[in-house]
Structure formats: C-alpha cells, structure tokens
Amino acid sequence: MMITSKRAYKDSFVRRTRTEPMQLPAEMLRAFLPPRTIGTAHVVSTAVLEPAYELGGDAFDHSLTETTLHAAVLDAMGHDLASGLTTAVSLAACRNARRTGADLPELVTSVDGALAQWLPDQFCTGILAQLDLASGVLRWTNCGHPAPLLIRDRRLLADAMEREADPPLGLPSLLAEGTRRTHEISLQAGDRVLLYTDGVTEARTRDGGLFGLARFTDYIIRATAAGELAPETLRRLIHSILEAQPGRLRDDATIMMFEWWPPTR
C-alpha cells in the first residue's frame, strides 16, 4: 500500500519496479489509468493490460458513485503516439462527461465529439457501460468492439450480450447520422461480465494457433468454480496468455471483469 500510494510522486519507487525502459505512448496512457481494482461489498471491477512497456492504444477505465459502476474499455487505431493520444482524449472526454452527471448516451456523444474536434483523422473502438448497483441493470454501448461476455452459474451464456455493434468512436459520418444504440440486460447475483480487446483472443500460442475465445472463457469459468477472487483470476490469466506466446504480444491485450452481488444478499 505504501509503494502504491507513493509511486505517483516518487520516481525512485517507479524506477525500482521497472525492468526495462517504458515507451512514450505507454508512459502517457499509464498515467491516465485508474487503480487496477475497485469495488464495494456489492461489486468488484478489476482489469489487466499488457504489454507493460510498449502499450499502443488500449486502455480501461472504471469508477464508482453511490449508485453506479462506470466501466469502459478502449482500443485506438494504430500502435504509435497518435493512437495513445486518441485513447487519452477519449478517456478525458469520458470522465469529463461522467463527472458532470451525463447519462450513457450523452457520455458516448461527448467522446465522439471530442475525437471529431481534436483528432479528426483518428478513431477507436470501445465499450462504455453503466451498472446500477441496486437493481443489477447493466446498460452499454458497443462502438465497433468485441461483444461483452456474461458468465453465470459457472458457464458462459453464449450470445447473451451479443448485439450489432455501432461504428467506432470518432467517425464523422456517425455524428451526422444521429445517436448510438444503448443495450440493456439484468444481471443476477454472482454474474461476471468480461470486456476485452481483440489482442486477447488473437494472441498466438507457441504452436502457431490463436489463444481463442474458448480458452479465454474456460480459464475464467474454472477460476470462478474454484472460488478465485476476480483480481487474482485476471492476474493469472494474463500471465497464462504471456507464457503461451512464442515472443512478445502482437497487439495490446486488455481484460476487464466486474462481478455483481445484490445489496440484499
């Protein structure tokens, strides 16, 4: 706890935790990231992001109010400083709208507008979501991103959150067409929702195959059945993905998982 609290302003702590120089886009994006795990007695949200030192355009965000969990996973086009800037602007716009009390549709519109105004040649995919902590109602907007996954009673509910995706964030053509679609689902006690980028499922194994969605979800299901806590599940999962690689990851890999329990349990 002491290291975590002081590393924000003591570079000597940061230097001692790094094993190699961090690239500029990664340095910028990691300065924007929230704590890896947040939660209350009724909800836990946790995330992991790799590679540590050569991050391109992936990022996650989550925060809590008295009534709502806000969550987002973003994946910007490219793997350079411009992609990092795209994600940074998207995160800032998302937080700015959220902190002024914007509802989900308004929040997504704010991100679209910020990218169109400041980085008109850039775009990113993403999922932005809001979970009502009292009722378990989850609302989300999918902007050209892999669909969220729902794990209930130790099994994957195939296609439970599969919806037609809207175009990526920041496309000027979309701004002229109108509002995006907001989807809704009611969670049950103990449900786990997964948001991820395609760098997870498209990671290569040593035999040349893809890590794949089946292996990804099977790992989460087994960990859930074993009673493993959400942060530890993702920590072990990302290490499993890295160990399966013949070398470095070809693309950023981000996973966010949140677990909900009703207040009356």
Side-chain angles (χ1 to χ4, degrees), residues 194-205:
L194 288 162
L195 311 180
Y196 65 98
T197 60
D198 55 13
V200 176
T201 54
E202 294 178 5
R204 291 285 179 181
T205 59

Side-chain angles (χ1 to χ4, degrees), residues 7 10-21 53:
R7 66 187 300 170
K10 294 201 69 163
D11 282 353
S12 56
F13 278 55
V14 176
R15 286 199 301 267
R16 289 180 181 273
T17 61
R18 294 184 178 180
T19 58
E20 61 182 271
Y53 300 100

Side-chain angles (χ1 to χ4, degrees), residues 214-231:
R215 187 181 303 189
F216 169 45
T217 54
D218 182 66
Y219 193 102
I220 299 292
I221 291 168
R222 289 176 181 272
T224 302
E228 201 165 78
L229 297 177

Side-chain angles (χ1 to χ4, degrees), residues 29 33 49-51 54-61 72-80 82-91 111 115 122-128 141-146 166-171 195-202 250-255:
L29 275 183
L33 294 181
L49 194 161
E50 287 288 343
E54 296 180 358
L55 184 62
D58 273 22
F60 67 88
D61 196 21
V73 167
L74 301 169
D75 183 1
M77 171 189 69
H79 297 87
D80 52 18
S83 61
L85 284 169
T86 303
T87 304
V89 169
S90 299
L91 284 175
V111 178
L115 290 178
Q122 296 291 122
F123 64 87
C124 71
T125 69
I127 290 189
L128 295 90
T141 296
N142 186 342
C143 306
H145 204 75
D166 288 348
L169 292 155
L171 291 183
L195 311 180
Y196 65 98
T197 60
D198 55 13
V200 176
T201 54
E202 294 178 5
R250 300 185 307 164
D251 194 6
D252 301 343
T254 302
I255 311 169

Side-chain angles (χ1 to χ4, degrees), residues 101-117:
D103 196 17
L104 184 60
E106 299 170 305
L107 191 150
V108 179
T109 299
S110 296
V111 178
D112 271 324
L115 290 178
Q117 179 179 0

